Amino acid sequence: MHRLSALILAFAPAASLLAQTVPVGAPIAPRPSGALTVQQIMAWGEELRTGLPTPLGWDERGDFFYFTWRPLGTPGDSLYRVPRGSVRYERAPVAVRRRGVETFDGWTLGVYDDGFARKVFERDGDVWLLDRATGRETRLTDTPARESAARFAPSGTALVYRSGDNLVRHDLVTGAIRQLTDFRTGNGPAAERESSEQTRVLRAQQTELFGYVRDQAAQRRARDSAQAADRRADARLRPTFLAGKNLGSLTVDPAERFAVYTLAASPTNRPTAVPQWITESGYVEDSNSRPKVGQTLAAADLFVQDLARDTTYRVDLFALPGTSDKPAYRREMGDTARARRALSVFAPTFSPDGRFAAVEVRAHDNKTRWLARLDPATATLTSLRVDQDDAWIGGPGIGYRSALGWLPASVSNGHTLYFQSEQSGFSHLYTMDVATGETRQLTSGRFEVSNVRLSRDGRTWRFESSEATPYETHTYTMPLAGGPRTRTTSGEGFNTVFDDPQEQLLAGTFSRANVPTDVYVQTMPRQPWQRVTTSVSPSLAAYPLRPAEIVEIPASDGVRVPARIYRPAAPNGAAVFFVHGAGYLQNVHRGWSTYYREYLFHHLLAERGYTVLDLDYRASAGYGRDWRTAISRHMGGRDLQDYVDASRYVGTQFGIPGDRVFVYGGSYGGFLTLMALFTAPEHFGGGAALRSVTDWAHYNHGYTANILNTPALDSLAFRRSSPLYFAEGYTEKPLLIAHGMVDSNVEFQDVVRLSQRLIELGKTGWEMAVYPVEDHGFVTEASWRDEYRRILEYVERSVGPRRADRRPWDGIE
């Protein structure tokens, strides 16, 4: 699967997608009769939330392309498919809907045998074998234990998979199952005998005083030694007791001699409670949510177990360079003492020739990533590459699901690794010979590469890239050794595209900025795609949605910031700025937005004469490392400045003063809205902060600690980034604070604490709307409708043309 923003060759639908064609950037004309209402937008929003198809992929034979869908007027999602060569969809047969469909995995090594004739997969915790030619599925296990991570042994005559806490080898010829490891819970007999200081003292006393006890101990040692020799002689396994630790990343080399695994203790972190207010019982019921930033993370140790010698070795992760170095921000504070950093180690992956395993290690502060070679015979690590970022390690293909794999032995030396790095400032593709450390950069330029994969024969790269424009992601092919890239897509839009197993046809979903997602297929190789589904209602299809014009706003530091602009045909002298959430997300592009309700709402605002802008402010995705990390140790700094510069821009370009600019957004967008009104009020006339972070010390660890470190170590970063500390600067311009009361992401406590702060400061001009049944992402249409009715009221009251004479609530629809 890969995301695209254009179709193969030319996209040539037989009919208009939404019954109209409008030029990019065309002004949105006022529609006094039949104008958009919030109620209509949210009705469409509910259709779009439940009614757009989700692609799953081709079946293993390439006979059908599958997707889930809820066509208009049907009660719920169901499984649908399109036969190969057809444009007519059908509901999948009952048997397929019940068991699910096994889709093509894109030639994942190990999941398929060498000839790609068979596939091993898991279903409901058991292992199954698929004959790809006949489509026959054979269930191989039916046990209470959960089997997982199944793969073919190099011979193709056996499988290796994890059953519970252990690895087993399943002979496909004889059916024999042999356990390769013996991990057990508990502390083991020896540890149990030494379970307390008192026990150890008494045992020592008995041994000192009595010959009988010494004789019994000697006999036991001799017996244990003999049993160990017997185990080695008949290849039985010595138990490994987990002693309360969590077993992870368990794998075995292709020769099935070395098992590699991690052990980590579970740290105790206090969760936060999220009360459920509207319940069947009538009582308030609590549920636990995530801990707050600064939680203790589990540090894992890496082990190699030599199955032939019945011996286990601990791998010294701290042999890697820089594992005791302080991060830059700590050194700036004068803390230069060397101390071992907490490390995480990710699942090792063995080279096709089995000589080496590649290991990715990260510091818990996520400012250093090591790629290392593990030599299993000696249980030693050799550092191959160190990526250091004083902000944090990230970017496409470099997150906690790193693009890290091996070139097939059929086209390489058997020990060549591929990976991605932001070393050049943008995420690019590299290869490395782990035997020599020789590294080659295969792509380069001011663009990002993502979703890297290999062709079936292993000789061609396929990936997505923003090389043509940052507002689209096209698909490219490239020779295995690098070189010229061939773009295989054209046009504009967004796709989620799937190759069929024969690599002849494509199918997937397509959208444009003003065209919601539907399923399209190729019926013949290298031919234009054909539309399969129609998901929008006639009323939405009839409305002339505009693909917002993309402009680049000059920022105060000389950078040009991408933005989408909705131009009204009859401007009313005011502007509305939208701030997208998630921080690291791209919203300025030419595909259908995940913010489709806001996209529709912006049409309503433009109909009423408002100039609407939404920015890919600093920290947004899609523009490289420097853009991504511009908020390091200061959220609400450079990112907010981009909106201040946008306020100046609309003043210069359209004569809109700062007090006629309304700003709103949710989650991170709500946070920036608060920072705008609290720290730069001269540039904004009002705002709506939705599901907002008000104090980053109360948000989660995984996201926050990357950017701001932790409150205990970097209190300055948290204080200058949290609206709660700037509430004194609120100048009482109209502010709506809206929040779901069962928000398990940005918890309701955030706005409760802010409201108390505003109350104690004696601030007026703000109001709060709470939604008793809503989590972070609202679900019910009634809540969405109420929230956006209130936002529209605040826009009209604070910056609208009749703002001075409007009564507080005068019936916005």
Side-chain angles (χ1 to χ4, degrees):
M1 181 186 107
H2 51 114
R3 289 192 56 82
L4 310 177
S5 62
L7 295 174
I8 291 291
L9 303 176
F11 178 72
S16 172
L17 294 176
L18 279 185
Q20 80 283 321
T21 301
V22 293
V24 172
I28 297 175
R31 302 175 68 229
S33 60
L36 277 179
T37 66
V38 172
Q39 182 173 352
Q40 178 64 77
I41 286 170
M42 296 311 158
W44 285 340
E46 185 64 13
E47 291 178 9
L48 293 165
R49 181 181 73 85
T50 61
L52 298 185
T54 300
L56 299 179
W58 294 87
D59 68 351
E60 283 292 342
R61 288 161 53 96
D63 293 335
F64 297 95
F65 178 74
Y66 283 86
F67 57 97
T68 58
W69 189 35
R70 180 182 176 180
L72 290 170
T74 59
D77 288 354
S78 190
L79 186 64
Y80 287 82
R81 65 187 190 183
V82 188
R84 185 183 186 88
S86 172
V87 295
R88 296 179 63 87
Y89 66 84
E90 62 188 31
R91 198 175 183 197
V94 173
V96 178
R97 297 202 305 269
R98 286 177 176 169
R99 74 168 187 266
V101 61
E102 187 60 27
T103 55
F104 172 56
D105 270 347
W107 313 121
T108 304
L109 294 175
V111 172
Y112 299 91
D113 63 13
D114 280 347
F116 297 112
R118 296 169 298 167
K119 178 183 182 180
V120 61
F121 65 96
E122 299 95 47
R123 178 181 292 156
D124 299 328
D126 288 308
V127 176
W128 294 69
L129 192 66
L130 170 70
D131 184 311
R132 298 187 63 253
T134 64
R136 180 184 176 187
E137 296 178 348
T138 303
R139 186 175 194 160
L140 299 182
T141 67
D142 188 359
T143 69
R146 182 172 185 82
E147 281 88 30
S148 62
R151 64 169 179 80
F152 280 93
S155 64
T157 61
L159 303 175
V160 176
Y161 51 85
R162 182 167 171 172
S163 179
D165 280 337
N166 285 290
L167 290 172
V168 299
R169 186 182 194 275
H170 190 139
D171 192 304
L172 294 175
V173 178
T174 66
I177 296 177
R178 178 167 60 88
Q179 190 168 318
L180 299 178
T181 61
D182 189 6
F183 291 100
R184 303 183 187 181
T185 59
N187 297 314
E192 290 165 6
R193 288 195 295 268
E194 304 289 346
S195 59
S196 70
E197 185 67 27
Q198 180 187 28
T199 301
R200 287 191 290 273
V201 169
L202 291 175
R203 287 177 60 83
Q205 183 188 46
Q206 293 296 91
T207 301
E208 178 187 358
L209 293 175
F210 302 109
Y212 171 78
V213 172
R214 293 192 294 272
D215 291 343
Q216 290 293 307
Q219 291 176 29
R220 186 181 65 252
R221 288 193 295 270
R223 185 169 59 251
D224 290 347
S225 178
Q227 290 175 351
D230 289 342
R231 280 197 304 269
R232 288 192 292 271
D234 63 8
R236 291 186 184 275
L237 301 170
R238 175 185 296 177
T240 300
F241 291 92
L242 300 179
K245 294 188 175 182
N246 297 316
L247 177 69
S249 302
L250 178 60
T251 188
V252 69
D253 73 304
E256 297 167 18
R257 173 171 174 176
F258 299 104
V260 184
Y261 61 94
T262 61
L263 289 180
S266 296
T268 301
N269 292 297
R270 181 179 177 180
T272 50
V274 178
Q276 310 291 313
W277 302 95
I278 307 298
T279 63
E280 290 185 14
S281 69
Y283 289 88
V284 175
E285 299 172 2
D286 283 343
S287 60
N288 284 333
S289 183
R290 45 84 182 159
K292 298 181 188 294
V293 61
Q295 72 185 80
T296 302
L297 302 180
D301 291 316
L302 182 65
F303 296 87
V304 175
Q305 194 169 91
D306 187 332
L307 303 178
R309 298 174 57 196
D310 197 15
T311 306
T312 300
Y313 302 94
R314 180 176 177 176
V315 180
D316 183 9
L317 299 178
F318 295 98
L320 296 171
T323 53
S324 296
D325 293 346
K326 282 287 195 302
Y329 81 96
R330 296 300 300 165
R331 298 196 301 272
E332 291 170 8
M333 295 178 181
D335 182 2
T336 58
R338 290 174 60 81
R340 287 188 167 185
R341 297 159 76 182
L343 304 176
S344 293
V345 57
F346 295 86
T349 174
F350 278 94
S351 58
D353 64 8
R355 291 175 55 198
F356 307 112
V359 177
E360 181 179 2
V361 179
R362 294 220 188 181
H364 278 190
D365 57 36
N366 203 21
K367 301 185 189 311
T368 311
R369 174 182 77 156
W370 295 265
L371 295 183
R373 182 185 75 210
L374 172 64
D375 297 288
T378 60
T380 57
L381 284 179
T382 302
S383 178
L384 297 171
R385 181 184 184 88
V386 181
D387 284 331
Q388 174 71 34
D389 196 316
D390 290 337
W392 71 96
I393 301 290
I398 317 169
Y400 279 90
R401 289 185 176 179
S402 293
L404 185 67
W406 298 94
L407 300 188
S410 60
V411 295
S412 71
N413 54 19
H415 43 77
T416 298
L417 189 71
Y418 68 85
F419 61 95
Q420 286 182 244
S421 172
E422 273 189 328
Q423 180 183 17
S424 66
F426 292 82
S427 181
H428 282 294
L429 178 62
Y430 296 75
T431 59
M432 177 193 297
D433 184 330
V434 300
T436 65
E438 180 185 356
T439 302
R440 296 187 61 194
Q441 183 174 346
L442 302 186
T443 61
S444 62
R446 296 184 60 80
F447 59 89
E448 295 184 325
V449 167
S450 59
N451 221 344
V452 174
R453 63 196 181 93
L454 284 163
S455 61
R456 178 175 178 174
D457 62 10
R459 298 182 181 279
T460 305
W461 293 106
R462 298 186 180 190
F463 53 82
E464 289 133 46
S465 164
S466 56
E467 181 173 358
T469 168
Y471 312 123
E472 299 173 9
T473 302
H474 290 278
T475 294
Y476 289 78
T477 62
M478 183 178 69
L480 188 67
R485 297 178 291 275
T486 302
R487 188 169 124 180
T488 61
T489 56
S490 62
E492 66 178 42
F494 257 16
N495 282 274
T496 300
V497 175
F498 298 78
D499 295 272
D500 78 329
Q502 292 77 35
E503 296 180 346
Q504 296 176 347
L505 300 181
L506 298 178
T509 53
F510 168 73
S511 74
R512 287 207 304 262
N514 63 333
V515 180
T517 304
D518 268 309
V519 173
Y520 289 76
V521 297
Q522 282 183 317
T523 57
M524 296 288 288
R526 297 178 297 279
Q527 293 299 309
W529 284 28
Q530 303 295 316
R531 188 175 187 169
V532 173
T533 62
T534 300
S535 299
V536 300
S537 64
S539 62
L540 178 55
Y543 184 84
L545 294 173
R546 264 66 172 179
E549 178 187 357
I550 295 176
V551 296
E552 294 180 347
I553 294 173
S556 52
D557 61 352
V559 172
R560 302 189 70 83
V561 179
R564 300 203 298 186
I565 186 168
Y566 303 76
R567 300 177 186 267
N572 66 8
V576 176
F577 290 175
F578 172 64
V579 190
H580 70 69
Y584 192 62
L585 175 147
Q586 185 175 6
N587 197 43
V588 177
H589 53 68
R590 297 190 175 115
W592 185 248
S593 176
T594 53
Y595 289 99
Y596 48 86
R597 291 182 182 87
E598 289 77 4
Y599 170 71
L600 297 170
F601 185 59
H602 296 163
H603 280 71
L604 179 153
L605 292 171
E607 278 187 359
R608 292 171 178 250
Y610 294 95
T611 300
V612 183
L613 278 175
D614 68 83
L615 278 61
D616 271 347
Y617 53 87
R618 239 64 69 93
S620 298
Y623 307 98
R625 181 265 172 197
D626 290 348
W627 203 276
R628 175 178 65 80
T629 63
I631 57 171
S632 177
R633 300 189 68 211
H634 191 185
M635 297 175 177
R638 184 63 253 180
D639 46 359
L640 174 59
Q641 185 61 44
D642 288 343
Y643 273 89
V644 169
D645 293 340
S647 180
R648 293 177 175 140
Y649 169 82
V650 297
T652 301
Q653 294 294 314
F654 308 111
I656 300 173
D659 64 357
R660 299 291 304 281
V661 176
F662 187 90
V663 59
Y664 87 102
S667 195
Y668 198 96
F671 151 73
L672 270 188
T673 296
L674 293 174
M675 291 295 275
L677 294 182
F678 291 1
T679 68
E682 65 274 23
H683 297 285
F684 306 97
L690 322 174
R691 53 193 182 277
S692 317
V693 176
T694 68
D695 182 356
W696 287 104
H698 287 254
Y699 195 51
N700 71 31
H701 185 88
Y703 177 83
T704 315
N706 273 346
I707 304 170
L708 301 180
N709 305 308
T710 65
L713 296 177
D714 201 353
S715 59
L716 171 63
F718 281 82
R719 289 185 69 91
R720 68 186 177 192
S721 300
S722 297
L724 200 67
Y725 292 101
F726 297 95
E728 292 94 337
Y730 173 48
T731 58
E732 305 187 356
K733 292 182 177 180
L735 169 62
L736 171 66
I737 300 170
H739 215 100
M741 293 180 70
V742 292
D743 194 327
S744 58
N745 183 14
V746 180
E747 293 164 349
F748 186 53
Q749 183 189 22
D750 262 60
V751 291
V752 172
R753 294 175 72 237
L754 177 62
S755 66
Q756 181 63 23
R757 183 83 176 119
L758 293 171
I759 290 167
E760 292 182 3
L761 289 169
K763 298 293 186 179
T764 62
W766 64 278
E767 291 179 313
M768 188 186 303
V770 299
Y771 296 88
V773 301
E774 297 295 355
D775 202 333
H776 194 60
F778 282 18
V779 174
T780 66
E781 182 182 343
S783 296
W784 278 108
R785 185 171 61 247
D786 182 87
E787 184 178 51
Y788 274 73
R789 174 186 61 81
R790 294 175 187 273
I791 295 170
L792 182 55
E793 287 173 343
Y794 267 83
V795 170
E796 298 276 50
R797 288 170 54 194
S798 60
V799 302
R802 294 189 297 123
R803 63 194 184 283
D805 61 357
R806 292 184 67 84
R807 290 178 288 113
W809 311 106
D810 66 347
I812 299 293
E813 292 182 347

